[in-house]
Amino acid sequence: MFDAAAVKRDFPILNQPGEPSLVFLDSGASSQKPQVVIDALVNYYSTANSNVHRGVYKLAVAADAAFDGTREQVAMWLNAPSSDEVIFTRGTTEAINLVASSWGRANLQPGDLVVSTLMEHHSSFVPWQMVAEEKGARFEAVRLTASGELDQDHYQELLAQHPKVVAFTHVSNVLGTINPVKEMTAQAHAVGAIVCLDAAQSAPHMAIDVQDLDVDFLALSGHKMLAPMGVGVLYGKRALLEAMPPYQSGGSMIRKVTLEKTTFANLPHKFEAGTPSVGDVVGLGAAISYLQGLGFADIARHEHDLAAAAIGQLNALPGVTVYGPGADVPRAGVVSFAVDGVHPHDVAALLDEKGVAVRAGHHCAQPLMRELGVTATTRASFYVYNTIDDVDRLVEGVRHAQRVFA
Ligand code: C6P
């Protein structure tokens, strides 16, 4: 049994005094932080703070060990063949921009095809759309089925046109759909395309094995997985990363600089220009350890159970529409819905009156909103600290919103 009530006790922000108690259902936007992560930050800044890869004094050596040690930890967590293939970024957005700018500019030609999907977050859509436009490449998006899954027939049609790159999300941040990454990647590779996976909504919630998935690039954000804001990861296959030009230039990423020419450092430093967010990287390490302690398989099961309960109870309310796949298939703990006659922002505001924090809006997925025929949805997203009581509070709050607007 996954003891979410015990997990919740590890998160100071969720245990503040006052009524109504906080039910946090917006972890899809950014998760809360457990005491161990807060302590890791305090400990780092209290004992080891220094810039990295520059100093020889004791603090600098301690900061180097903490920073590079976390890189090893991330590589092991993702099952990356080497920590050289782990690049620290500010988050998913920066990681995908790095790939689209560096790989995209170097490899796309006029007439090439870039394949995206209609369920992408703008972070995985716009960078590829922009580089395609810049290089004169075509940009197409896989359509969705009525149940909010990728239309695999349309995907096959697009693959038959031999794209150079397929860029898509592992888990939809609006629908909770889990895409069949391994199969889609093998099919993309069979036609010669590389795959750039957005793991912002999957890495926090399920086990990830980059060698098993065989994706070429994978991007994730620390702040969605209990770590501080300001740190993310790009995993990339060594051969691709080595062939790519730098994304940003400046300190730390050079081998030699002269008036005539600059040569660049080896991986991963070639892609880490400037001072990184060392304390946040250390916090990411603490977050990964905490999540591994809970167990990713149990986390995924727990969130599926919460989503199933929420979907069941919301569907039972007259006038409520739930988007995305049902709970009879593997799906993530993201539940978007509409309440007839109540604007999503009003639903969110009325839920907030009851202490329930959800997100309302287009969720940075406007092409998807258009597909759904709406401008916004209300979204509850579950994580390790949510309990079945939280689902009840959500549903009670939705009924309250319905009564207010009756
Ligand atoms: N989605 C949400 O509420 P950053 O901002 O770089 O950490 O993550 C961007 C991002 C990329 N891909 C997906 C699938 C995402 O869900 C997100 C962030 C948040 O859904 C904030 S808009």
Side-chain angles (χ1 to χ4, degrees):
M1 261 297 279
F2 189 88
D3 191 351
V7 172
K8 198 174 224 173
R9 287 195 285 276
D10 291 338
F11 292 73
I13 207 167
L14 302 178
N15 292 285
Q16 299 178 86
E19 288 294 327
S21 60
L22 173 61
V23 171
F24 188 73
L25 299 181
D26 195 21
S27 302
S30 195
S31 73
Q32 298 302 345
K33 321 304 173 198
Q35 190 64 51
V36 283
V37 168
I38 298 167
D39 288 347
L41 282 177
V42 171
N43 184 50
Y44 169 76
Y45 284 112
S46 309
T47 64
N49 180 52
S50 147
N51 211 321
V52 283
H53 307 143
R54 290 155 169 86
V56 293
Y57 49 88
K58 288 187 184 57
L59 284 183
V61 172
D64 283 354
F67 186 75
D68 293 325
T70 306
R71 199 192 301 279
E72 294 289 337
Q73 186 188 359
V74 171
M76 279 172 62
W77 166 52
L78 295 176
N79 196 28
S82 161
S83 61
D84 291 349
E85 296 169 309
V86 171
I87 292 151
F88 288 120
T89 64
R90 283 193 297 124
T92 303
T93 303
E94 188 178 48
I96 296 175
N97 272 278
L98 190 165
V99 180
S101 295
S102 172
W103 183 92
R105 287 209 178 104
N107 289 282
L108 292 174
Q109 314 272 349
D112 282 347
L113 175 62
V114 173
V115 169
S116 177
T117 88
L118 286 181
M119 67 164 71
E120 296 312 303
H121 185 279
H122 297 159
S123 294
S124 170
F125 193 91
V126 183
W128 289 109
Q129 188 183 43
M130 283 176 67
V131 72
E133 192 177 329
E134 179 185 319
K135 302 299 288 188
R138 284 193 301 134
F139 181 79
E140 299 280 353
V142 182
R143 289 191 296 262
L144 307 186
T145 64
S147 58
E149 283 157 323
L150 291 177
D151 179 341
Q152 295 297 330
D153 292 337
H154 188 219
Y155 182 52
Q156 298 308 321
E157 277 172 37
L158 292 171
L159 288 184
Q161 299 168 42
H162 293 275
K164 270 236 172 114
V165 53
V166 178
F168 67 104
T169 193
H170 196 167
V171 167
S172 162
N173 69 318
V174 177
L175 302 171
T177 316
I178 303 175
N179 290 319
V181 173
K182 193 172 170 177
E183 294 73 15
M184 288 177 65
T185 300
Q187 291 162 354
H189 286 164
V191 299
I194 64 147
V195 170
C196 179
L197 187 71
D198 175 349
Q201 297 289 351
S202 61
H205 306 280
M206 60 186 72
I208 300 280
D209 180 331
V210 290
Q211 294 189 66
D212 183 51
L213 294 176
D214 201 25
V215 291
D216 299 283
F217 297 103
L218 177 143
L220 64 91
S221 295
H223 71 95
K224 293 190 199 289
M225 48 177 292
L226 312 184
M229 300 216 179
V231 58
V233 169
L234 173 68
Y235 156 79
K237 285 184 181 168
R238 181 189 286 278
L240 289 166
L241 290 171
E242 280 180 342
M244 282 157 54
Y247 170 56
Q248 294 182 330
S249 54
S252 295
M253 52 74 72
I254 56 91
R255 184 186 307 281
K256 191 167 184 200
V257 181
T258 65
L259 184 58
E260 293 73 32
K261 189 163 176 61
T262 296
T263 54
F264 307 117
N266 289 336
L267 295 176
H269 308 292
K270 181 170 85 170
F271 291 109
E272 290 181 357
T275 299
S277 197
V278 183
D280 296 330
V281 167
V282 172
L284 174 64
I288 293 170
S289 298
Y290 181 87
L291 288 168
Q292 286 177 322
L294 297 180
F296 277 97
D298 288 347
I299 292 171
R301 205 171 306 117
H302 172 65
E303 291 172 13
H304 182 273
D305 289 349
L306 294 178
I311 292 168
Q313 292 192 48
L314 288 170
N315 272 331
L317 297 180
V320 174
T321 308
V322 180
Y323 301 103
D328 51 328
V329 296
R331 53 121 57 231
V334 177
V335 179
S336 276
F337 58 94
V339 182
D340 284 357
V342 193
H343 191 279
H345 284 117
D346 291 327
V347 176
L350 289 162
L351 280 166
D352 184 52
E353 277 180 8
K354 300 286 180 189
V356 181
V358 297
R359 182 169 175 196
H362 57 60
H363 312 295
C364 303
Q366 287 180 352
L368 174 56
M369 293 295 117
R370 197 166 164 188
E371 275 294 287
L372 298 176
V374 297
T375 52
T377 72
T378 307
R379 182 191 71 179
S381 49
F382 300 104
Y383 206 9
V384 288
Y385 33 67
N386 291 121
T387 62
I388 199 75
D389 291 347
D390 295 351
V391 175
D392 294 342
R393 292 267 303 272
L394 167 72
V395 176
E396 261 170 48
V398 171
R399 293 171 61 163
H400 164 64
Q402 288 183 312
R403 281 194 297 273
V404 170
F405 276 80

